[in-house]
Amino acid sequence: MQKLIRTLTCGLLVATLVTPGFASAAGGFMPYGDISKHFARDSIIRGVQAGLFAAGPNAPLFYPKRDMTRAEFLALIDRLYYGGQYQLYPLTFLSEHSEWTSAEGFDKPYLPYKDVDRLTWMYNPILRISYVMDRLYGPNAIQRVFPGEKMLPNQPITQEEAAKILQMFVMSNDGQHAWDNIKEWGWLEGERTDRLKRGEAAVAADRLMTYLVQDSIMPLLDYDGQKFPMVPEIQEIFPLFAGYTKLRTADEDKYINAVEAIRDHEDTDETFADLRNLASNSFANQVGTHFYLSWDPSTTLDDNLDEAFKAIDAYFADRIILPDTLQLLGANVYDIALQLGGKDQLQYKKVLDRLRAYKTKVKRDAKEWEAISIYMAALEIKDGQIETALEQYRLFHTFQAEALLNTTYYLVQEERIQEAEEQIQEAVQLVANQKPKASDSRMVQLVRLLKQDIESLKQQSKIATDLAFTLRRLDNSDSYQVKGEAVLSGFTFKYTQDIDQRNNTSRVSGFYQSPQKLVSDKLETYTDGKEQIQYSYDSSRESWDKYKTNSLDFLHEWVTKQSAKDRQKNLQARYYKQMFGNYDIITEWIPGQVLEEKAKQVSFGRGKIKNVPLFMNKYYIDRDTDKLVSHIWRYEEIYDSDEYVAYSGTENFDFKTTVKVSIPDEVRKGVTP
C-alpha cells in the first residue's frame, strides 16, 4: 500500500482544555460550600484551578462524599489527558492538533454503546478517552473496562474500573495488573469493589497532575533526538533579579520597562540602548541589565555570550548566595552556547573553559556548585566528553533528577546497563533512607520510572524477535484483507487491500482526496508481485497506468523492508511491549539521527535524506494466534530539496475473509502507451 500511495502522490471536545501545566491551590480560595472540612479540599481546589471541575453560581456544591459515575470519571480523565497528552504522545502518536477521527481523516469514531447519547454532555469526553484507549491498547479497548452493549454511564464507577482507566498514564505493560499498579503509585487507596467517591477522585486527579508535570512516562526514550542532555526546567525566565516598590527611581523605571518589553516581545533598539546605559553607570542591578542585554537580537551571539558571562560576574560581585539565580544565569549561557555550537562544535569547549573558572568561587557540593555543574556536564556531552560528564553527574545524581536521568541515559547508550541499574539502586536506597518530603516526590517517581524503563531495555531483543515472528506470519499467509486510512503530504486515502500471496497479486480499491480538490477520486490498483508491476487507474483520463515497484522513492519504504531484528540491531530501534486484553501491543521508535546516517548509502527517488524528525510504528497482535490485528504509523522525512514528507496511517487486518485476486485482461490491455 505504501508503494501505491507513493505512486499516486508522485503522479499528482465538550471538554475543558487544560494546558500542560497545572496550577496549585491558592490560599483562601473556596469554590464550593461543602468542602472546607473535607480531606480532599486542597485537591478539589487545585482541580478547579486546573479546569478539571466546574465551579461558580451554577455549581455551589461539590458533593465530595457522593459516588462518582462512570461518565463523570471519564470526563475528568478527558480533561487530565489534555493536561498531560504530551506525555502519552510516544504511545498514542496523537499530538494536540490531531483530529478526533477513527484514523487519518475520513470516518468519525463511534462508541460501542447504545446508552450514551450523542446529544448529551458525556458523549464527547467518553468518545475521546475511548479513542485514546484504542490507540494505546487496540480496537475497542474500552470494552475491557465496561463490557457489553451498554456502558451504564450513570452507574457509580468502582475503584478497579477507575484503575483500568488510570493505567494509561503509568506505562503499565500488563493490563491484568492495573489495580496493583495504580495502588502502588498511590493514586487510589480503597478496595477493588469500592465505589469511588467524588472527593477520592479529586485526590487521584491531584496526584496524577503532580506526576504528569514532573517527568516523561518513559524517561529514557528520546524518539526525536532532542531530549538529551537534560537540564533543569526554569520556572521563571523573566525575573527582575531585585525587589522594587512603587517608589522607584527613573533608572529603575527604565529597567523594569525594558524587562517588560522583552517579556512581551515588544522590545526595540531603544530597549537595549536603555539597558546599555544602565550597565555603564552605577545602576545597582547589574545582574539583570547584563542578563537582558544577552537577549539583544541586533548583536552577535558572541556579544550575547559576553553579556551572559558579565551577568554571572555581577552575581558573584554581589556576594549573595542565590542558587536559583545562578542556575538561570547558567541556563542562559548554555542556551547561547547551543546556538553557537550548532554552527561550530569548537564553541562548546570555549564556553566550558570560561564556565570552569567559576567552579573555584563556590563550595563543592553546594547548590551553587550544582547549578554550574549541571550545565558544564551538558556542554561536555555536546563536546563529546561523555565519560567526563558522567563523572561530574555522579557527584550529585542521587539527589538531582536531571543528573540521574543523564547518567542513566548515557550509560545505556554505551550499553552499560548494569552500571545504570547500580546507580538507580543507589538512588533507591538513598530515597528509602530519607523521610518523605514534597520535594522528594520527583526523585521517588523518577527512580520508579527508570527501573521500569531499564527492565524494558533489557527485553529489546526478545520484543524484536516477537514482532519479527508476527511479521513473518503476515508474509507467509496465503491471503488476507486490509482496511486502512492514510495521509501522505496532504493526500488522504481510504482503501481496502486484498492480498493474494499464493498468486503473488493484490488489489486496492477505495478513494483518495487531493488537497487541491474538493471531491474525492476513485482509487483502484492491481499489483503483479512476480513481475514487480503496478497498474493504477487514472480517473481523470479513465485509463490505466503502469509502474515498476522495485524502486525506492521514500525512506520509509526502505526501512519497512528491514526485519524487526535488523531494525533493532542496525537502526537502533527502541521497542516497548504491553499486554491488554487479548492483545500484545508493540511500539517501535527509530532515532532519526541513525536513519539519517544509514540513509547516506541509499538512493531514493525523492533525493537524499536531510532530516528525519520522526519515525514511529505501533503493532497490535492477537496473543492467541500471533497474527497482526492493526498497525499504526507516523513518519516525517525531509529531503535535500527541502521537501517535507509527512506520512501517517492506520491499517486493520482480516485473515478470515477469503481473498483471491487476478489481474483482468482489460487492465493489462488498458494501459496508456
Side-chain angles (χ1 to χ4, degrees), residues 371-652:
I372 294 175
S373 297
I374 194 71
Y375 293 105
M376 286 189 62
L379 286 169
E380 285 165 347
I381 286 172
K382 292 290 185 180
D383 191 42
Q385 304 178 49
I386 304 297
E387 195 57 45
T388 303
L390 287 173
E391 290 175 6
Q392 190 155 194
Y393 283 134
R394 285 193 187 99
L395 296 174
F396 55 99
H397 76 268
T398 55
F399 55 85
Q400 213 278 355
E402 282 74 26
L404 177 61
L405 259 172
N406 289 327
T407 312
T408 308
Y409 176 78
Y410 288 104
L411 286 173
V412 167
Q413 290 296 102
E414 296 189 352
E415 299 183 354
R416 296 154 65 181
I417 291 183
Q418 184 175 347
E419 288 183 59
E421 286 186 289
E422 290 172 356
Q423 64 123 41
I424 292 172
Q425 188 57 37
E426 183 182 351
V428 169
Q429 293 174 352
L430 186 69
V431 169
N433 292 333
Q434 293 179 337
K435 292 183 179 180
K437 303 175 184 176
S439 59
D440 296 331
S441 65
R442 185 184 178 195
M443 286 298 289
V444 173
Q445 171 177 304
L446 179 58
V447 165
R448 184 189 298 242
L449 291 170
L450 284 172
K451 288 174 64 179
Q452 184 171 282
D453 223 356
I454 288 287
E455 284 303 313
S456 171
L457 288 169
K458 290 161 65 176
Q459 299 294 319
Q460 292 298 287
S461 181
K462 183 180 184 306
I463 298 172
T465 299
D466 292 344
L467 178 58
F469 178 76
T470 292
L471 296 180
R472 280 198 304 272
R473 290 211 65 178
L474 184 68
D475 292 337
N476 295 331
S477 298
D478 288 341
S479 67
Y480 57 93
Q481 188 177 79
V482 180
K483 291 185 181 295
E485 295 187 12
V487 174
L488 175 58
S489 297
F491 286 82
T492 312
F493 301 83
K494 182 171 183 177
Y495 54 89
T496 297
Q497 185 175 22
D498 295 319
I499 297 97
D500 183 350
Q501 298 195 136
R502 290 163 298 190
N503 295 321
N504 207 357
T505 56
S506 65
R507 175 179 183 265
V508 174
S509 59
F511 55 91
Y512 70 94
Q513 187 162 353
S514 163
Q516 287 82 35
K517 297 178 68 175
L518 295 177
V519 296
S520 299
D521 285 312
K522 177 183 178 180
L523 172 62
E524 187 172 12
T525 73
Y526 289 89
T527 301
D528 184 331
K530 183 178 180 180
E531 299 295 331
Q532 296 184 318
I533 292 175
Q534 183 180 92
Y535 301 90
S536 297
Y537 184 73
D538 187 323
S539 57
S540 61
R541 292 187 288 108
E542 297 185 348
S543 62
W544 293 86
D545 293 320
K546 183 169 68 173
Y547 302 94
K548 295 292 289 184
T549 62
N550 57 354
S551 62
L552 294 172
D553 270 3
F554 294 118
L555 170 77
H556 60 260
E557 294 177 319
W558 174 72
V559 175
T560 52
K561 288 181 179 294
Q562 318 297 313
S563 71
K565 291 292 290 182
D566 286 342
R567 289 184 228 168
Q568 187 227 342
K569 181 180 178 181
N570 301 325
L571 301 181
Q572 298 179 27
R574 168 79 190 275
Y575 293 99
Y576 193 76
K577 184 176 181 178
Q578 296 172 282
M579 292 179 285
F580 191 85
N582 294 331
Y583 297 151
D584 288 337
I585 306 101
I586 296 177
T587 310
E588 175 189 62
W589 307 272
I590 302 182
Q593 292 174 331
V594 177
L595 290 175
E596 292 159 23
E597 185 63 31
K598 296 290 184 181
K600 290 179 180 178
Q601 312 303 320
V602 185
S603 296
F604 301 107
R606 292 310 237 217
K608 286 291 184 182
I609 278 291
K610 181 179 179 181
N611 186 244
V612 185
L614 210 61
F615 203 98
M616 309 191 296
N617 289 288
K618 199 173 183 75
Y619 304 91
Y620 307 85
I621 303 163
D622 185 282
R623 194 176 305 115
D624 295 331
T625 64
D626 289 318
K627 289 184 176 180
L628 188 62
V629 175
S630 185
H631 171 217
I632 294 174
W633 67 89
R634 191 169 292 274
Y635 313 138
E636 294 179 14
E637 306 163 12
I638 302 175
Y639 293 85
D640 54 4
S641 62
D642 287 333
E643 178 186 9
Y644 170 71
V645 175
Y647 186 27
S648 59
T650 300
E651 291 184 333
N652 297 309

Side-chain angles (χ1 to χ4, degrees), residues 648-663:
S648 59
T650 300
E651 291 184 333
N652 297 309
F653 295 78
D654 177 7
F655 295 90
K656 296 179 181 179
T657 300
T658 301
V659 172
K660 187 174 182 179
V661 180
S662 59
I663 302 176

Side-chain angles (χ1 to χ4, degrees), residues 71-91:
E72 288 173 337
F73 187 75
L74 287 177
L76 173 62
I77 298 302
D78 178 46
R79 294 163 186 164
L80 278 165
Y81 171 77
Y82 270 111
Q85 66 180 14
Y86 65 102
Q87 297 283 38
L88 287 174
Y89 175 72
L91 289 172

